[in-house]
């Protein structure tokens, strides 16, 4: 009986991270809202400085679960690379699953103003950006170029905009002027910038072959190289971001991500890890909505879900980073489009080698050996204790519980009204 209870409790250990990350949202929004009101009469840069610190607290708490809770380790690669190793410990010391994320490339130790360009294949990709940013003490500076529909998310939709996120629409509806104005406002306020863009516009989903086929047909029609493991990138958001901030940025990070365990027994790619959790739609809708719609219901049977990511063996995640100087990037959109496609050709070659190499010893890895070091709890645990403690204190009283519920309801309504007027 006791053993069954212990095993059941262990199998459900993913519930704690999901509950805490969702449950602390109203507390965080109340703290941020109070500061937003107090800073209304202050210069914008003062608001940004504290906002970035608050965002660091929340995201550090999230990373506690994805790094310390699952046993992530990070270390320097021999030569030019860095390695992150996830190892999830079982309750018995003898049963330890090693799940590795290895990062190759030239990730600087110090924070920079950057545009972060990455291939997009799953809903864990945004966590990768957080993992890299915290190693540079730049976690609070992470901001996203997001699908326009995300602005309607309860609480989060409004906040992402206030934190410096940019909502964009696809193709002909893309509002270049609006994006430039938003970025110029950030620069005027001297906002540190770690702007994450997924140029493909939607995630690479091997279970929706029509999207991949259409992307390849478009590339062929335009006289561009046809790509196998990534989609044809869209240049508009990338061009606007780099062109607008060219005198403000230090570099562009070109990031390529590959997940092990995403090839079936026939050698065909399947879905990479997902963070879609039944009943936790709001937080994880953020992740899935970084892409455009298209998840088929029958695809879920092959997904590595959030539960499995935290409570079972996770795939090894390989990340290749190339730091690019602004002087090496064409300024004209026509030439930048060609440059961006060439960068994705490089990604595709890396991924072809990773997934399809004839020599099995060369598959599922990029070059380099790792030396591991554990991420200090000092960077994540205090945030968990702080937000968790504030939330628990609020929920212990009747008035606190009423405020908590009202924050969810009225905060969502006010946020939706705000972004409908000023996204």
């Amino acid at each position: 009986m006791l053993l069954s209870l212990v095993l059941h409790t262990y199998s459900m250990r993913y519930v704690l991270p999901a509950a805490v990350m969702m449950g602390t949202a109203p507390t965080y929004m109340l703290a941020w809202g109070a500061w937003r009101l107090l800073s209304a009469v202050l210069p914008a840069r003062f608001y940004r400085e504290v906002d970035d610190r608050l965002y660091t607290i929340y995201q550090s708490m999230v990373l506690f679960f994805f790094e310390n809770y699952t046993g992530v380790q990070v270390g320097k690669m021999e030569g030019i690379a860095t390695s992150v190793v996830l190892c999830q410990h079982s309750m018995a010391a003898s049963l330890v699953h090693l799940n590795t994320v290895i990062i190759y490339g030239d990730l600087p130790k110090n924070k920079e103003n950057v545009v972060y360009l990455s291939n997009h294949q799953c809903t864990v990709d945004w966590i990768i950006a957080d993992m890299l940013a915290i190693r540079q003490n730049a976690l609070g500076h992470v901001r996203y170029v997001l699908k326009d529909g995300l602005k309607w998310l309860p609480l989060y939709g409004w906040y992402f905009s206030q934190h410096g996120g940019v909502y964009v629409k696809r193709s002909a509806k893309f509002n270049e002027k609006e994006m430039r104005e938003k970025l110029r406002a950030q620069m005027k306020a001297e906002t540190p910038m770690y702007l994450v863009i997924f140029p493909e516009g939607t995630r690479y989903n091997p279970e929706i072959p029509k999207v991949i086929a259409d992307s390849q047909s478009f590339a062929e029609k335009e006289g561009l190289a046809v790509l196998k493991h990534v989609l044809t990138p869209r240049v508009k958001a990338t061009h606007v971001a780099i062109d607008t901030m060219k005198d403000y940025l230090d570099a562009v990070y070109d990031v390529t991500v590959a997940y092990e365990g995403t090839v079936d027994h026939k050698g065909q790619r399947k879905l990479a890890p997902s963070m879609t959790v039944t009943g936790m739609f709001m937080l994880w809708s953020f992740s899935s909505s970084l892409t455009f719609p298209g998840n088929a219901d029958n695809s879920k049977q092959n997904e590595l879900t959030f539960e499995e990511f935290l409570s079972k063996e996770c795939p090894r995640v390989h990340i290749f980073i190339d730091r690019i100087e602004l002087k090496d990037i064409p300024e004209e959109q026509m030439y930048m489009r060609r440059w961006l496609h060439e960068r994705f050709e490089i990604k595709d070659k890396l991924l072809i080698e990773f997934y399809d190499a004839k020599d099995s010893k060369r598959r599922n890895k990029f070059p380099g050996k790792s030396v591991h070091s554990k991420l200090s709890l000092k960077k994540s645990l205090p945030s968990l204790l702080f937000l968790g403690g504030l939330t628990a204190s609020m929920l212990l009283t009747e008035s606190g519980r009423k405020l908590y519920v009202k924050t969810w309801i009225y905060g969502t309504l006010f946020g939706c009204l705000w972004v409908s007027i000023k996204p």
Side-chain angles (χ1 to χ4, degrees), residues 16 178 327 373:
L16 174 63
E178 190 175 273
K327 62 181 178 62
S373 65

Side-chain angles (χ1 to χ4, degrees), residues 306-358:
F306 175 62
E307 301 98 303
E308 295 170 315
F309 197 88
L310 288 176
S311 63
K312 295 183 180 179
E313 290 192 25
C314 310
R316 294 181 179 180
V317 185
H318 297 250
I319 308 165
F320 190 94
I321 305 167
D322 193 359
R323 182 184 183 279
I324 303 171
E325 297 283 349
L326 270 295
K327 62 181 178 62
D328 296 325
I329 302 174
E331 293 188 9
E332 295 293 330
Q333 180 171 323
M334 179 177 64
Y335 297 113
M336 188 180 291
R337 179 194 186 203
R338 175 73 61 177
W339 170 85
L340 184 61
H341 196 85
E342 289 172 355
R343 296 308 307 180
F344 270 72
E345 286 182 59
I346 294 173
K347 293 179 185 295
D348 201 44
K349 290 176 181 178
L350 286 170
L351 293 173
I352 288 173
E353 183 74 9
F354 185 91
Y355 292 115
D356 305 330
K358 294 181 179 180

Side-chain angles (χ1 to χ4, degrees), residues 61-347:
M61 180 195 69
V62 172
L63 286 176
F64 169 82
F65 292 109
F66 280 89
E67 299 208 22
N68 301 111
Y69 186 77
T70 56
V72 173
Q73 294 181 309
V74 181
K76 293 292 182 183
M77 297 290 293
E78 292 182 358
I80 60 171
T82 303
S83 157
V84 181
V85 177
L86 288 154
C87 92
Q88 180 171 5
H89 302 280
S90 67
M91 295 181 69
S94 60
L95 297 177
V96 178
H97 303 298
L98 296 178
N99 309 284
T100 307
V101 181
I102 304 176
I103 307 172
Y104 310 80
D106 44 355
L107 179 68
K109 293 181 180 180
N110 299 321
K111 63 184 71 174
E112 298 184 289
N113 288 322
V114 301
V115 168
Y116 172 113
L117 305 175
S118 176
N119 62 312
H120 195 23
Q121 56 194 306
C122 72
T123 56
V124 179
D125 292 335
W126 70 279
I127 284 289
I128 302 300
D130 282 352
M131 287 181 176
L132 298 182
I134 199 171
R135 266 84 198 177
Q136 297 175 277
N137 293 316
L139 184 56
H141 305 168
V142 176
R143 310 170 209 285
Y144 294 91
V145 173
L146 302 162
K147 174 191 171 184
D148 187 66
L150 271 175
K151 66 186 181 185
W152 306 115
L153 283 177
L155 296 184
Y156 296 103
W158 176 40
Y159 176 71
F160 290 141
S161 175
Q162 296 297 297
H163 182 63
V166 181
Y167 292 113
V168 297
K169 295 180 181 179
R170 299 180 68 176
S171 302
K173 295 182 179 180
F174 179 84
N175 192 326
E176 178 178 329
K177 180 180 178 182
E178 190 175 273
M179 183 175 178
R180 286 187 185 275
E181 289 177 352
K182 185 73 177 280
L183 294 175
R184 287 182 183 128
Q186 302 298 324
M187 291 188 293
K188 184 177 180 181
E190 300 179 5
T191 304
M193 190 60 63
Y194 203 102
L195 187 65
V196 178
I197 302 176
F198 298 108
E200 290 159 288
T202 189
R203 62 177 172 161
Y204 180 98
N205 187 339
E207 296 191 0
I208 308 180
K210 185 179 185 303
V211 172
I212 299 173
D214 289 346
S215 174
Q216 292 173 337
S217 296
F218 176 79
E220 187 174 11
K221 179 181 177 182
E222 295 295 313
L224 302 169
V226 175
L227 308 174
K228 180 179 180 181
H229 287 293
V230 292
L231 302 177
T232 302
R234 304 161 189 258
V235 75
K236 286 184 179 179
T238 301
H239 176 259
V240 171
I242 295 176
D243 183 61
T244 304
M245 300 190 293
K246 58 188 174 184
D247 296 324
Y248 192 74
L249 297 173
D250 296 303
V252 169
Y253 293 172
D254 183 9
V255 179
T256 305
V257 181
Y259 295 86
E260 283 190 37
T262 55
V263 177
D264 62 23
H265 66 283
K266 296 181 180 179
Q268 300 298 313
R269 282 188 66 183
K270 58 182 183 179
L271 290 180
S274 168
M275 291 194 297
T276 301
V277 181
T278 303
M280 298 294 174
F281 69 95
M282 280 177 286
L283 180 61
W284 307 123
S285 288
F286 159 57
S287 302
S288 61
S289 295
L290 282 171
T291 68
F292 291 98
N295 290 343
D297 290 338
N298 62 3
S299 70
K300 293 182 180 179
Q301 62 186 357
N302 290 326
E303 284 189 74
L304 177 67
T305 62
F306 175 62
E307 301 98 303
E308 295 170 315
F309 197 88
L310 288 176
S311 63
K312 295 183 180 179
E313 290 192 25
C314 310
R316 294 181 179 180
V317 185
H318 297 250
I319 308 165
F320 190 94
I321 305 167
D322 193 359
R323 182 184 183 279
I324 303 171
E325 297 283 349
L326 270 295
K327 62 181 178 62
D328 296 325
I329 302 174
E331 293 188 9
E332 295 293 330
Q333 180 171 323
M334 179 177 64
Y335 297 113
M336 188 180 291
R337 179 194 186 203
R338 175 73 61 177
W339 170 85
L340 184 61
H341 196 85
E342 289 172 355
R343 296 308 307 180
F344 270 72
E345 286 182 59
I346 294 173
K347 293 179 185 295

